[in-house]
């Protein structure tokens, strides 16, 4: 039960709310329903179920005993998301076994001009190779996603048309057989301006994307945790505005709780219950209280201390923290990590292992509503060194300077998110 007055997303047949501004040419798409992560096969109740040999060890939505990656994920269970930016070839692309239990594998990054890094690598493989590799992930277990933008591209500031850009991305997703797309929008200048242009761009972009992809493809967003702050900090409305307008078209949010000023969200309490004074009202429970369903929140953390300026939490400690709050106000204990090269399967096994005895992991229900993954390493068609860390990951923290930009609100300066 959700103790807060948050939006109820238990009904999988909820329709998208497209009753927004008349100037949006996509408002006619209001009847689409997101079932991106679930099949529509009815349950067969005519056969009696065999009695289990062992007693139930806990809630079925939380990770359980046994080898990770086994069986079909349960609806309503936690998501485990990982980003892959370091170059992957056909030989180094992971399989279901080597993934160790991730439910979503995000290839970074798609750019409006051309795909880069692993998004590019995927296109350079033959259709037969892509089909084989995707099958190796376990279609019913791990979803293959492509992540767009990152810190390298600022689409609003650069004047990219939201509708045309979404159309191009949707065509890319469908052509290369992705299960969905992650919108890693990091146009800080547009957000900081307080003009509302960033929010409107994201709203128009998401509406178009959902219309183009239909209800069965996954759409996740990757907002910065501070963008959910209330109290007029974001004069354009911030991500709460985005969620209000198109949240039902978004399956879940991979929220980055790192690379922020000082060491905020470094402890379980500041991460989950009450964020510190620099970015108030941006802990998981506070974001839920602001209206974002707990089932849509995925807690993002860096794989290691070198993957972010701050906010690092050991995988086992994170798993114990998520387990502690699992089920509270709809939170499913979902986690995300930047990035695959430094996390591997050990990270997700440690996170899941900290919550053993609670059933199998799942894809979760489509959500309502992640901050950025930094600049990928260079954007040459072929990387010079596949073993290097992603280029451009400056890991600069958000600087809380108390300044105002033209009276529009406090500024977040020089942020280069690393995942």
């Amino acid at each position: 039960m959700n103790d807060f007055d948050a939006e109820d997303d238990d009904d999988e047949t909820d329709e998208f709310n497209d009753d927004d501004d008349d100037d949006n040419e996509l408002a006619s798409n209001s009847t689409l329903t997101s079932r991106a992560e679930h099949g529509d096969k009815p349950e067969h109740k005519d056969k009696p179920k065999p009695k289990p040999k062992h007693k139930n060890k806990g809630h079925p939505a939380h990770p359980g005993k046994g080898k990770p990656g086994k069986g079909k994920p349960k609806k309503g269970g936690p998501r485990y998301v990982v980003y892959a930016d370091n170059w992957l070839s056909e030989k180094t692309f992971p399989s279901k076994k080597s993934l160790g239990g991730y439910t979503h594998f995000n290839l970074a990054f798609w750019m409006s001009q051309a795909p880069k890094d692993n998004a590019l690598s995927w296109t350079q493989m033959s259709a037969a190779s892509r089909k084989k590799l995707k099958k190796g992930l376990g279609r019913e277990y791990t979803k293959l996603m492509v992540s767009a933008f990152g810190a390298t591209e600022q689409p609003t500031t650069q004047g990219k048309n939201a509708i045309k850009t979404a159309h191009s991305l949707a065509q890319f997703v469908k052509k290369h057989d992705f299960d969905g797309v992650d919108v890693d929008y990091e146009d800080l200048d547009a957000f900081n301006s307080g003009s509302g242009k960033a929010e409107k761009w994201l709203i128009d972009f998401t509406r178009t994307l959902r219309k183009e992809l239909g209800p069965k493809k996954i759409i996740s967003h990757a907002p910065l945790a501070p963008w959910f702050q209330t109290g007029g900090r974001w004069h354009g409305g911030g991500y709460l505005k985005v969620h209000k307008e198109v949240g039902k078209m978004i399956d879940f949010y991979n929220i980055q709780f790192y690379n922020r000023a000082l060491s905020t969200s470094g402890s379980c309490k500041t991460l989950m219950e009450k964020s510190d004074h620099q970015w108030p009202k941006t802990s998981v429970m506070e974001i839920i209280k602001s209206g974002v369903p707990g089932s849509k929140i995925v807690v993002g953390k860096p794989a290691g201390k070198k993957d972010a300026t701050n906010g690092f939490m050991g995988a086992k400690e994170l798993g114990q923290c998520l387990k502690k709050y699992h089920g509270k106000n709809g939170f499913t204990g979902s986690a995300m990590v930047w990035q695959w090269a430094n996390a591997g399967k050990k990270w997700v096994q440690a996170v899941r292992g900290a919550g053993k005895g609670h059933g199998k992991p799942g894809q979760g229900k489509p959500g309502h509503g992640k901050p950025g993954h930094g600049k990928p390493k260079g954007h040459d068609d072929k990387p010079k060194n596949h073993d290097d860390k992603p280029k451009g990951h400056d890991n600069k923290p958000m600087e809380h300077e108390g300044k105002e930009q033209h009276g529009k609100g406090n500024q977040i300066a020089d942020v280069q998110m690393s995942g």
Side-chain angles (χ1 to χ4, degrees), residues 56 74 89 105 126 138 162 168 226 238 289 337 343 359 368 415:
N56 186 6
K74 284 183 172 290
S89 66
F105 193 69
S126 67
S168 296
K289 187 175 181 179
V337 65
H368 288 258
V415 185

Side-chain angles (χ1 to χ4, degrees), residues 109-117 119-120 123 149 153 160 172 379 381:
F109 287 96
W110 180 91
M111 304 287 178
S112 61
Q113 297 300 318
K116 307 296 180 181
D117 305 319
L120 172 64
T123 67
F149 308 128
E153 187 167 19
K160 305 294 182 182
F172 180 84
H379 296 300
D381 287 351

Side-chain angles (χ1 to χ4, degrees), residues 149-167:
F149 308 128
T152 301
E153 187 167 19
Q154 294 76 44
T156 305
T157 298
Q158 294 170 359
K160 305 294 182 182
N161 181 279
I163 293 173
K164 291 181 179 180
T165 303
H167 175 77

Side-chain angles (χ1 to χ4, degrees), residues 271-296:
L271 171 66
M272 299 301 303
E273 278 190 36
K274 186 177 181 180
S275 57
D276 64 25
H277 68 282
Q278 293 205 322
W279 300 106
K281 306 295 183 182
T282 58
S283 69
V284 171
M285 292 300 139
E286 289 170 317
I287 292 174
I288 294 174
K289 187 175 181 179
S290 294
V292 180
S295 61
K296 288 181 181 281

